[in-house]
Amino acid sequence: MDILQEISRYLQSGEDKQVLALTEQALDLNLSPGRILQDGLIRGMAVVGDQFKNHEIFLPDVLLAAKAMTGAMERLKPLLIGDETPLLGKVVIGTVRGDLHDIGKNLVGIMLRGAGFDVIDLGRDVPPEKFVATAAAEKAQVVGMSALLTTTMPVMKQVVDMLRAEGLTHVRTVIGGAPVSAEYAREIGADDYGYDAGSAVEKIRQLVED
Amino acid sequence: MRPTLQFLENELKETIIAEAGVILAELGVEVQNPDVLALLADNGAQVDRAQQRAFFSPDLVRKCLATAPRAFALYDVYGEPTHDFAGDNVHFTPGSAALNILDSETGKMRKPTTADYVDYVQVVNQLEHIASQSTAFIPADVHERISDSYRLFLSLLYGEKPVVTGTFTVEAFAVMRDLQLAVRGSADALRAKPLTVFSCCPTSPLRWSDVTSQNVVDCTRSGIPVEFIAMPLSGFMAPVTLVGTLVQHTAETLSGVVIAQLACPGAPMLYGGSPAIFDVRYETTPMGAVETMMTDCAYSEIGKYLGLPTQAYISLSDAKLLDAQAGLESAMGATLAALTGINNISGPGMLDFESCQSLEKLVLDNEICGMSLRLVRGIEPREDFPALPRLQELLQEQHLLISAHTRRYLRQEHYFPGPVIDRANRARWLEEGGLTLAQRARRRITQLQDNYEAPRYASEIRRELVARMEHEARRYGQETLPERPE
Ligand code: B12
């Protein structure tokens, strides 16, 4: 079997040691880090994502695969140069100011990393200015915000408005959490809404591709 | 004999409590509030200020349990007793703080308004098996900084029952206390006759946020009872096994007991929680899961073993509509909770993972609660022995419908649910319109609204409630409150 397929297969079963060893082997065979990432790791994660969506596997299986992915990524990251396929994109995430609910946001972060995104997690109770400043400084493509309280939803709009006011119109925004919805995203001018970690990955992938 | 349900042998309870003790002593809890940390340090806890951690020895925990009241009462707005949180007494309260309500016209979930909240209070005020109001959802038509105090304001203005509530910020506590003072008249009167219970949530695993730890201290110092709501999520933010989750829940809840009792020895508290399993297929926290309910009942056993009255988020459903799932999950929870003797049962009306209240469901659940309350009154002999005379009477009279014995015991022995639960024969049901459960629930709500009477307050109390709320709203730039019925 092709070594990239093998990486993908071991990744799907969450075997991090094998994935790392095979990544090492692939590098020895002079495969480019970008190809290993794209055709081995990211391809494997795409399969995992589909299986999870279809209830063939459960969240822990996805997280194991994500962990294997992260391990191999650490190895590849310094080797990715020039226009070689970089990470899928850079995403700044956080739970908005006044809100301490971070379980869902953390899960979204784990899944995004697992899918191959570079994630900067600002934690919980994050002031709008910090989302905006970080997105600018880190040249992020996407800002993802989480809120679980009726009282903190409006902070999301502040972030969207502030990004616009700062001229960061190329930064896409996506929101999530129990009180918000696709309608609310439209209402505040956010680009998209995700209802769980799987949909977060899907939506953010689309936003980055557009 | 009162029927009771038991999941844990005493030996297992002892082990769970001992293991929780080791966790509190070795790992401690993170407390993100310097004042609360200082309070703990001054009163015998070992504190690492740099790491914001407090460590509690088994001795300290024992000392705090010793000052905790084994029972306490709640009183309605007139000062009449309504709740006796003692022994296996059971009281129901609506599930609280929903994000949405289920609109009865459209059947869709939406953000609630002041008008919805007033409707809710008018209904719950008359539901005979729901002992207290809770601040069941958040009206979205006021400034978000007053959305927690505003629901308490409406509850006190329109309702008579005590209120299960809580704050979202440190600042809101003052006005939420002052609204209660307006009703009771003085701080001493409020302390003597508590009107509310405040939910205070530690953050699993083993953490107290700045806001919630401060809330515990503020409540206890004003004599306001607290209920600790730890939410370990089995398999995610807690061990996957129910015993492992119970150990963590015990440690988290005992840490609340320590904070409360050191802040104010003798402070009334409920040993509560809202643990859940984590559904790894959907990334949700199902309140209708059987394991969630088992964990609730088991930690209540632990709380009672420690000598404290208890609370749980149980008898709610994750359904999105008033459907069969909504009924079965709520009824199963109410039954198990009542059999366990959980003193304050938070749940009725709630759908969709604690995030949606439905008035239709609330009036249905009221009847479910009625059945559960009947269930735990058990089976008792009442002038049943010797049995011979009664059977002789039956043979002679051909029936017992008008027997003195029947008339004496009918209403004690038989609980009559309705009008939401239907027991008409089919022909009569059809003749009366063949109404669905949702239609019967709606009709019941309309009847209750027609019969509603406002609390018999002196006009000064009413004026003062309004003045305090308006003052609070102006602090956040809201000049007028939304319109509300007289
Ligand atoms: C667990 C929990 C807590 C825990 C939080 C622990 C933690 N570290 O996060 C604790 C106990 C600390 C807590 C505290 C409080 N809580 Co709380 N809590 C919950 C509960 C039960 C579950 C939330 C959860 O973790 N779900 C599991 C995760 C996996 O799901 P999720 O968060 O929805 O996230 C998923 C999606 O939404 C999406 N998503 C989330 N974020 C993002 C972001 C992006 C970019 C995308 C694309 C997608 C996405 O993907 C996630 C993964 O699937 C909810 C009920 C509910 N229905 O949500 C109440 C709930 C949100 N809490 C509530 C309340 C009232 C509070 C308190 C104010 C209570 C109090 N009086 O102290 C405090 C809040 C303090 C504060 N200032 O924040 C209310 C909200 C009421 C309201 N109308 O605003 C709720 C609805 C429960 C209730 N009815 O009382 N809570």
Side-chain angles (χ1 to χ4, degrees):
Chain A
M1 198 194 322
D2 165 356
I3 188 157
L4 293 178
Q5 268 177 22
E6 222 170 318
I7 290 180
S8 160
R9 201 170 56 86
Y10 276 108
L11 183 106
Q12 289 168 41
S13 46
E15 298 182 56
D16 55 345
K17 292 208 180 69
Q18 274 88 339
V19 171
L20 189 59
L22 284 167
T23 303
E24 214 57 77
Q25 263 181 43
L27 287 170
D28 289 345
L29 291 172
N30 274 332
L31 288 176
S32 84
R35 242 192 100 201
I36 302 176
L37 179 65
Q38 204 58 51
D39 298 340
L41 300 171
I42 291 180
R43 198 173 59 186
M45 274 316 280
V47 176
V48 169
D50 285 344
Q51 287 177 334
F52 179 52
K53 212 169 149 190
N54 299 330
H55 289 184
E56 288 158 32
I57 57 171
F58 294 164
L59 187 63
D61 308 310
V62 183
L63 298 186
L64 276 176
K67 190 168 166 222
M69 167 100 180
T70 318
M73 283 280 291
E74 290 304 309
R75 178 72 183 89
L76 294 178
K77 230 179 187 174
L79 305 177
L80 293 168
I81 32 163
D83 56 358
E84 266 192 316
T85 338
L87 292 169
L88 283 181
K90 211 180 237 188
V91 187
V92 173
I93 59 167
T95 302
V96 298
R97 184 171 61 201
D99 205 318
L100 305 174
H101 294 87
D102 61 359
I103 293 175
K105 182 267 299 165
N106 293 346
L107 206 51
V108 169
I110 295 170
M111 296 280 271
L112 282 171
R113 278 198 188 101
F117 285 93
D118 191 359
V119 177
I120 303 163
D121 185 346
L122 299 177
R124 51 200 139 83
D125 196 10
V126 179
E129 300 76 20
K130 195 160 168 196
F131 278 106
V132 177
T134 314
E138 298 283 343
K139 301 200 168 46
Q141 284 103 315
V142 179
V143 168
M145 294 166 271
S146 183
L148 269 285
L149 296 170
T150 319
T151 51
T152 56
M153 297 161 53
V155 183
M156 295 175 153
K157 180 164 190 318
Q158 290 175 24
V159 176
V160 172
D161 291 348
M162 217 178 266
L163 282 168
R164 214 163 279 156
E166 299 286 320
L168 296 168
T169 43
H170 57 283
V171 178
R172 311 277 89 175
T173 48
V174 54
I175 63 172
V180 303
S181 59
E183 272 142 274
Y184 188 69
R186 265 194 300 279
E187 197 182 306
I188 65 169
D191 293 302
D192 218 329
Y193 155 80
Y195 57 77
D196 65 14
S199 86
V201 171
E202 226 166 88
K203 297 295 173 65
I204 291 176
R205 197 180 274 143
Q206 277 165 16
L207 286 176
V208 173
E209 278 166 11
D210 284 352
Chain B
M1 183 195 89
R2 183 201 197 280
T4 47
L5 179 67
Q6 196 186 337
F7 285 99
L8 308 176
E9 302 276 10
N10 282 352
E11 200 185 321
L12 181 53
K13 287 178 211 158
E14 290 280 357
T15 312
I16 290 171
I17 294 163
E19 291 286 323
V22 173
I23 287 169
L24 288 174
E26 301 281 325
L27 292 178
V29 285
E30 187 181 345
V31 181
Q32 302 172 321
N33 179 311
D35 296 340
V36 178
L37 269 180
L39 170 99
L40 295 171
D42 290 348
N43 288 280
Q46 199 191 322
V47 165
D48 176 342
R49 272 172 225 254
Q51 301 291 324
Q52 298 196 312
R53 287 199 95 78
F55 303 85
F56 305 141
S57 67
D59 264 352
L60 181 65
V61 174
R62 253 192 303 278
K63 192 184 109 188
C64 292
L65 282 168
T67 59
R70 306 180 75 83
F72 67 93
L74 290 184
Y75 302 79
D76 66 14
V77 298
Y78 310 121
E80 295 298 326
T82 54
H83 289 63
D84 180 15
F85 290 129
D88 286 336
N89 294 343
V90 162
H91 309 274
F92 286 95
T93 189
S96 90
L99 300 157
N100 299 310
I101 62 156
L102 191 64
D103 187 292
S104 27
E105 314 270 282
T106 65
K108 298 229 168 73
M109 289 190 189
R110 62 166 170 81
K111 294 275 180 284
T113 62
T114 298
D116 296 316
Y117 200 92
V118 174
D119 284 346
Y120 155 76
V121 177
Q122 296 185 344
V123 166
V124 78
N125 202 44
Q126 300 171 78
L127 294 179
E128 57 279 54
H129 306 299
I130 310 272
S132 56
Q133 325 179 39
S134 70
T135 41
F137 48 83
I138 319 284
D141 52 356
V142 292
H143 192 284
E144 60 271 8
R145 293 303 296 268
I146 62 165
S147 59
D148 47 3
S149 50
Y150 183 63
R151 31 179 213 157
L152 178 63
F153 161 72
L154 293 176
S155 279
L156 293 176
L157 196 65
Y158 291 97
E160 294 164 323
K161 295 179 180 179
V163 194
V164 175
T165 185
T167 83
F168 297 165
T169 61
V170 171
E171 298 74 37
F173 176 78
V175 68
M176 292 181 77
R177 178 202 53 214
D178 292 350
L179 290 168
Q180 299 179 61
L181 292 179
V183 171
R184 282 285 185 261
S186 75
D188 284 343
L190 180 62
R191 200 177 287 278
K193 293 191 168 179
L195 177 60
T196 60
V197 177
F198 274 48
S199 301
C200 298
C201 310
T203 308
S204 292
L206 303 168
R207 191 194 307 141
W208 282 90
S209 69
D210 175 38
V211 177
T212 46
S213 58
Q214 188 63 49
N215 284 162
V216 174
V217 172
D218 290 344
C219 286
T220 55
R221 292 195 169 151
S222 300
I224 297 171
V226 292
E227 52 185 29
F228 303 115
I229 314 288
M231 298 184 194
L233 304 177
S234 305
F236 186 9
M237 303 303 285
V240 72
T241 51
L242 303 193
V243 168
T245 301
L246 285 168
V247 171
Q248 184 175 327
H249 175 274
T250 307
E252 289 170 344
T253 309
L254 283 176
S255 70
V257 170
V258 171
I259 296 173
Q261 294 303 311
L262 291 185
C264 182
M269 309 169 304
L270 293 174
Y271 190 93
S274 183
I277 60 158
F278 189 70
D279 192 310
V280 292
R281 300 167 305 168
Y282 291 100
E283 305 166 24
T284 50
T285 54
M287 305 311 294
V290 69
E291 301 85 357
T292 296
M293 301 185 204
M294 292 162 76
T295 309
D296 287 328
C297 295
Y299 82 65
S300 174
E301 285 178 43
I302 293 172
K304 298 219 171 165
Y305 191 75
L306 293 167
L308 300 174
T310 62
Q311 177 276 353
Y313 263 90
I314 183 169
S315 79
L316 20 70
S317 170
D318 304 319
K320 319 297 179 283
L321 311 164
L322 189 50
D323 59 7
Q325 182 182 343
L328 81 91
E329 290 176 342
S330 304
M332 186 170 180
T335 309
L336 295 177
L339 286 173
T340 302
I342 297 174
N343 302 107
N344 200 27
I345 303 174
S346 297
M350 197 64 104
L351 295 165
D352 191 21
F353 312 94
E354 295 181 29
S355 79
C356 181
Q357 261 287 344
S358 154
L359 280 192
E360 284 76 8
K361 180 169 187 289
L362 189 62
V363 293
L364 166 65
D365 289 354
N366 174 57
E367 295 178 18
I368 294 177
C369 298
M371 290 197 220
S372 306
L373 291 167
R374 169 63 188 93
L375 175 77
V376 296
R377 289 209 317 275
I379 298 178
E380 298 286 348
R382 307 175 196 278
E383 289 182 59
D384 283 303
F385 309 132
L388 193 64
R390 196 111 308 112
L391 272 290
Q392 282 169 334
E393 184 185 349
L394 174 55
L395 292 180
Q396 190 185 327
E397 302 293 328
Q398 305 288 308
H399 64 79
L400 289 175
L401 282 167
I402 58 169
S403 145
H405 183 258
T406 302
R407 279 178 286 134
R408 212 153 35 244
Y409 293 111
L410 177 65
R411 283 171 190 281
Q412 290 177 46
E413 284 289 286
H414 300 182
Y415 164 63
F416 295 101
V420 185
I421 288 175
D422 166 56
R423 287 191 184 164
N425 69 34
R426 189 178 162 74
R428 176 167 174 184
W429 173 72
L430 278 174
E431 190 181 274
E432 291 178 354
L435 299 183
T436 63
L437 181 132
Q439 289 167 327
R440 295 193 296 276
R442 179 96 296 271
R443 201 170 56 177
R444 164 94 158 128
I445 292 166
T446 313
Q447 281 161 358
L448 290 172
Q449 285 169 327
D450 291 344
N451 293 340
Y452 167 77
E453 282 172 35
R456 295 166 272 113
Y457 280 132
S459 56
E460 306 88 79
I461 295 186
R462 202 176 294 275
R463 264 203 304 279
E464 186 164 351
L465 282 171
V466 173
R468 290 192 188 210
M469 193 67 237
E470 285 178 346
H471 180 260
E472 181 74 2
R474 278 197 295 274
R475 277 181 50 187
Y476 299 105
Q478 181 165 345
E479 287 307 318
T480 53
L481 296 174
E483 247 182 71
R484 51 171 191 271
E486 252 321 290

